[in-house]
Amino acid sequence: MYQKRTYPWMAVVTLALGLAAPAAGFDLAAWSRAVDHPTPGGTVELDGPLAVGSATLEPLQGCTVRELMANGERCGLLFAGPVKLTFTVADRFSVPVARRNLKRNTKIAPKRDDASGLEIVETLRSAVVWGFGLTGAPAAGEAATPGTLPEWVEKILDRPLFAPPSHDLAQAAFGGAAGMAVALLRAPKDTLLLRVDPTVDQLEELDLVMKIPPRDPVDHGRRYLLPVAAQPIGRQWWDRPGAPLMAVREELVVDNSGGGSRLEVTSESTVRALRAGAGLWRVALVDRTVSHREELPVEVRTVQVNGKPAPFLRQDGELLVRLDPPPPPGGTVTIRVIHDGHLALRPGGDSYWSLGTWAWYPQPAMNAELAEVDIRVVTPEDWIAFASGDTVSRETADGLTTLHTHVEGAAQFPVVAAGKYHVYSDTRNGITCNVATYVFGKEKAARLLIDFFFAAAKVYNEYFHVPYPYTEMDIVEINSWGWGQAPPGVIFITKEAFTPLADSLTQIFSQGINERIAHEMAHTWWGHVVKMDSTEEQWITESFAEYSAALFLEVAAGSRKKGKRLFTKLLNSWKGNTSMVGRGGSIYLGSYLAGESFEDRMDEVRLLYAKGPMVLHALRLELQKKYGQKQGDRYFIALLRAFLRNFEGRYGATRHLVGILDQITGESWQGWFERYVYGCEVPKL
Ligand SMILES: [Zn+2]
């Protein structure tokens, strides 16, 4: 099955796949393998250039086009020999990002770059296109002589760090996603991957295929993707379609009863069909962990749909499960998955582990999970577990403790952690804040954090008119430096938050620690009360949390003057960081910056954490300018409140924000957002 793969644990995975598939009569893994390694068959005559999304492929002299066969049907075309690629970026918001990525990351210069868009023309050495229903009739009288895929293609598809073509084609074949196509394009100096998805995300992406360098002891040689260009298909960027299947309930059992790094996860996901023909559940699922430069397997033991074994494929970071027949629109199915592996790794030999916002359970796409969540965590009794949601029970028997938590309503990104912790708690107005300090009791710091939490919750409630939505908050110390994460009802934050000014290293990281904690707390509103459905909408969580933190610090400073000074200091740092953003700096499309160099990565951060909050402040000033300081400020706060209230427990998007603002002011704000949020302009303050 994975004969090219040399990792010994793959044999076990193979066995797991092989056992489960025949029971359901259809082998999705075998189907997918055939699609990723199709057999070149007879030659094909094209009427003209082949259109794949916004690209065309035109065979040049010496190029033979052959059909690619898998599972008894044509799944694509092979262009063996020189072929002319033309790719057009016409979307006006996509163009500046593509221009920047091309310049910084490829050796490709656009042939045309004017008001109508940007055009790439390259003579490729060869190309492979996957897709059902591609045009081109078989040449008459030609006998098919089976061949093999070019070696460069096989190398790219040998354990890629991205989903291989078969995953998209499975969505086309079983998930009702017509028109999916994937192309590997070999330019003289760069290799490109084009992904065309006209149905599910209505998006096309052109990426650069990159190779992990030899210095990476685990993944060297494997391929990953860097974005070159992305543009919506048949829609505007801001009109993102909903997912075909929505997870509405997650029951997660995390079993670490052995106490070591082995951990078993049983998940029962109830998903609702939102479209007809949604016969494929496609989610992310971790396929390995890495410890001491060694890859450790994560094995899928069971996949059942409504209690019966179902065909599935677990490969390259994804789990695909066939739902046959597809649930009718509005109908639900329950998918049960059991997997295990060394998921409870302890960083640096520490006495804690965490299952964070990564795919430790079958994790739907960002726009496909609004779930009521129940989590049960089993650990040895001397370990204390934390999980998203409010505690239902914590019981100890036979040396094991079981924690049961529940998140009411609609949650994303549930997390679990356990370790040797000291817990300090306080309950005020029906809300309990637990602060867990790692190994050592740090009561003074913990009490400060508890006060900080209640103070922030009060200020945010007063600003936004939406109370803290859970009855519990766990603030858990992570034994590292310089980061924080805020899944529902839990904040993971590194140790500088617990040892204020203890030593010089702490001091370095503590600069702005209050601001960081206030930011993480604000994610309850910007992230959990209102949710983001895509990386494009990430500014709704990050930039709004950052701006909220500034609002809190301004109020909490003690005096008006001190508060104003603090706010101005933050505003100036946003301005400074925004001025460092290079070309193509769209807040909305920041995740499509190629991200290879330090500057690219920094720009994505600057867009979300500096330009975003700065643009929000610019909006506030613009409202003040137009409607007077008092009325303008009222409108600004009314906008935040209405957005949170209207989209409580749902996906809130920039287009909704614009709609609400139009309603409040009676004027159109689309143009303003096109300049500063969707586009690259920087407002002058
Ligand atoms: Zn954040």
Side-chain angles (χ1 to χ4, degrees):
M1 179 174 272
Y2 289 97
Q3 63 274 45
K4 291 217 161 135
R5 304 177 182 186
T6 50
Y7 298 89
W9 52 267
M10 272 300 179
V12 186
V13 179
T14 305
L15 190 64
L17 289 168
L19 281 176
F26 173 77
D27 189 342
L28 187 56
W31 184 93
S32 155
R33 198 167 51 254
V35 169
D36 286 330
H37 307 279
T39 310
T43 58
V44 166
E45 274 167 15
L46 297 176
D47 310 337
L50 178 75
V52 186
S54 301
T56 58
L57 292 169
E58 186 184 346
L60 301 174
Q61 182 110 45
C63 176
T64 313
V65 184
R66 302 179 71 177
E67 13 180 41
L68 290 173
M69 304 298 293
N71 306 307
E73 63 181 321
R74 188 201 279 183
C75 70
L77 295 172
L78 165 67
F79 293 77
V83 50
K84 184 176 155 192
L85 164 76
T86 310
F87 183 77
T88 313
V89 186
D91 180 272
R92 66 196 155 110
F93 303 104
S94 304
V95 167
V97 178
R99 187 185 292 136
R100 169 191 169 123
N101 289 341
L102 278 170
K103 190 164 179 195
R104 289 196 185 208
N105 292 287
T106 73
K107 298 186 179 68
I108 299 168
K111 179 103 186 286
R112 176 171 64 74
D113 186 354
D114 56 32
S116 67
L118 182 150
E119 190 180 65
I120 297 165
V121 179
E122 285 281 299
T123 301
L124 307 175
R125 290 185 182 157
S126 68
V128 183
V129 185
W130 282 263
F132 297 114
L134 300 173
T135 57
E142 174 89 16
T145 40
T148 52
L149 272 191
E151 208 188 320
W152 67 272
V153 177
E154 294 284 2
K155 274 187 181 159
I156 289 171
L157 295 182
D158 183 22
R159 300 184 71 232
L161 291 162
F162 54 87
S166 64
H167 293 201
D168 281 353
L169 265 68
Q171 271 192 301
F174 313 116
M180 297 285 252
V182 179
L184 278 169
L185 311 166
R186 194 167 205 211
K189 287 179 177 143
D190 293 303
T191 301
L192 299 161
L193 183 138
L194 173 66
R195 189 171 171 261
V196 179
D197 167 3
T199 319
V200 183
D201 288 332
Q202 297 174 5
L203 189 70
E204 81 181 311
E205 291 167 278
L206 184 70
D207 298 316
L208 198 59
V209 180
M210 304 288 291
K211 192 170 163 182
I212 302 256
R215 65 172 180 273
D216 185 317
V218 179
D219 287 324
H220 57 89
R222 295 177 73 179
R223 307 305 210 274
Y224 65 101
L225 302 177
L226 278 185
V228 174
Q231 57 189 345
I233 299 175
R235 63 171 175 105
Q236 295 287 352
W237 266 115
W238 46 83
D239 288 325
R240 202 183 168 88
L245 292 161
M246 176 69 73
V248 293
R249 182 162 170 75
E250 306 277 14
E251 283 194 64
L252 307 168
V253 179
V254 172
D255 186 348
N256 184 232
S257 48
S261 61
R262 279 204 91 81
L263 184 150
E264 183 187 80
V265 179
T266 303
S267 58
E268 247 181 53
S269 307
T270 303
V271 299
R272 175 170 292 137
L274 301 181
R275 294 185 199 173
L280 193 81
W281 192 52
R282 181 174 179 180
V283 291
L285 182 62
V286 64
D287 51 19
R288 57 97 189 259
T289 53
V290 175
S291 176
H292 298 99
R293 304 183 156 201
E294 199 192 332
E295 206 165 17
L296 304 167
V298 173
E299 289 156 19
V300 174
R301 305 288 180 187
T302 299
V303 175
Q304 291 177 340
V305 175
N306 289 340
K308 293 197 188 102
F312 72 95
L313 164 68
R314 202 289 302 267
Q315 152 179 290
D316 302 324
E318 291 193 330
L319 172 72
L320 278 62
V321 180
R322 193 168 168 194
L323 310 178
D324 186 17
T332 59
V333 289
T334 300
I335 303 154
R336 182 181 160 90
V337 178
I338 302 176
H339 64 280
D340 64 59
H342 295 270
L343 293 162
L345 289 176
R346 304 175 192 180
D350 272 321
S351 302
Y352 76 93
W353 50 262
S354 68
L355 307 177
T357 52
W358 44 280
W360 57 269
Y361 70 102
Q363 191 181 57
M366 234 185 265
N367 67 344
E369 185 180 41
L370 290 174
E372 188 177 347
V373 180
D374 270 273
I375 305 176
R376 286 175 178 80
V377 191
V378 186
T379 58
E381 64 178 330
D382 55 335
W383 284 56
I384 298 180
F386 303 91
S388 287
D390 300 334
T391 301
V392 177
S393 62
R394 194 187 287 269
E395 283 160 8
T396 299
D398 305 325
L400 296 175
T401 300
T402 302
L403 166 70
H404 175 196
T405 65
H406 176 79
V407 192
E408 191 67 37
Q412 292 173 294
F413 304 117
V415 300
V416 177
K420 308 242 170 172
Y421 282 102
H422 287 256
V423 183
Y424 303 92
S425 303
D426 200 2
T427 302
R428 299 179 197 172
N429 300 321
I431 297 167
T432 301
C433 178
N434 303 308
V435 172
T437 68
Y438 178 64
V439 179
F440 303 106
K442 296 164 195 163
E443 179 155 11
K444 205 174 151 200
R447 297 286 170 207
L448 274 173
L449 276 172
I450 289 172
D451 287 343
F452 196 102
F453 164 74
F454 284 111
K458 182 166 175 280
V459 169
Y460 292 150
N461 184 15
E462 277 163 11
Y463 261 113
F464 307 140
H465 282 189
V466 173
Y468 182 76
Y470 311 116
T471 62
E472 202 173 311
M473 165 61 92
D474 299 332
I475 301 173
V476 182
E477 179 179 8
I478 298 294
N479 196 25
S480 176
W481 298 106
W483 66 273
Q485 225 176 34
V490 177
I491 289 175
F492 289 145
I493 193 144
T494 43
K495 56 188 171 184
E496 63 275 20
F498 297 82
T499 46
L501 312 182
D503 54 48
S504 60
L505 186 60
T506 314
Q507 275 192 32
I508 294 165
F509 283 104
S510 312
Q511 283 185 4
I513 185 69
N514 286 345
E515 198 257 333
R516 266 187 38 219
I517 298 170
H519 170 108
E520 300 306 338
M521 286 177 182
H523 273 311
T524 296
W525 286 265
W526 307 109
H528 303 310
V529 171
V530 61
K531 295 153 203 301
M532 59 174 173
D533 69 355
S534 58
T535 53
E536 288 93 300
E537 297 290 352
Q538 206 176 350
W539 85 293
I540 299 281
T541 61
E542 295 307 341
S543 308
F544 281 60
E546 195 66 18
Y547 195 78
S548 302
L551 291 178
F552 166 68
L553 294 181
E554 187 181 19
V555 171
S559 75
R560 228 183 124 85
K561 206 170 141 192
K562 242 172 115 182
K564 212 172 156 68
R565 206 165 53 221
L566 215 63
F567 188 91
T568 309
K569 198 176 146 199
L570 280 169
L571 179 61
N572 286 336
S573 87
W574 296 336
K575 280 191 205 167
N577 280 311
T578 302
S579 71
M580 289 159 82
V581 174
R583 285 165 188 275
S586 154
I587 296 172
Y588 203 70
L589 302 181
S591 64
Y592 293 98
L593 298 184
E596 179 70 341
S597 73
F598 178 72
E599 273 306 305
D600 284 326
R601 279 202 305 271
M602 281 311 293
D603 273 3
E604 195 183 336
V605 171
R606 287 172 186 139
L607 287 167
L608 288 175
Y609 299 89
K611 188 177 173 186
M614 188 188 125
V615 162
L616 262 184
H617 193 63
L619 176 64
R620 187 178 179 180
L621 295 182
E622 182 71 17
L623 288 164
Q624 291 178 357
K625 205 171 94 191
K626 274 183 104 128
Y627 308 106
Q629 192 164 358
K630 261 198 170 151
Q631 185 65 356
D633 235 32
R634 257 187 232 129
Y635 281 169
F636 182 74
I637 294 299
L639 171 67
L640 300 184
R641 285 176 186 165
F643 187 50
L644 284 166
R645 235 188 352 259
N646 290 337
F647 293 93
E648 191 168 351
R650 297 200 288 143
Y651 295 117
T654 309
R655 67 174 189 278
H656 302 133
L657 204 65
V658 178
I660 293 170
L661 192 55
D662 287 358
Q663 234 171 35
I664 291 175
T665 62
E667 291 184 60
S668 169
W669 287 84
Q670 175 66 22
W672 197 91
F673 279 77
E674 287 186 10
R675 289 174 68 184
Y676 303 120
V677 178
Y678 301 122
C680 306
E681 277 188 66
V682 177
K684 287 191 180 64
L685 295 190

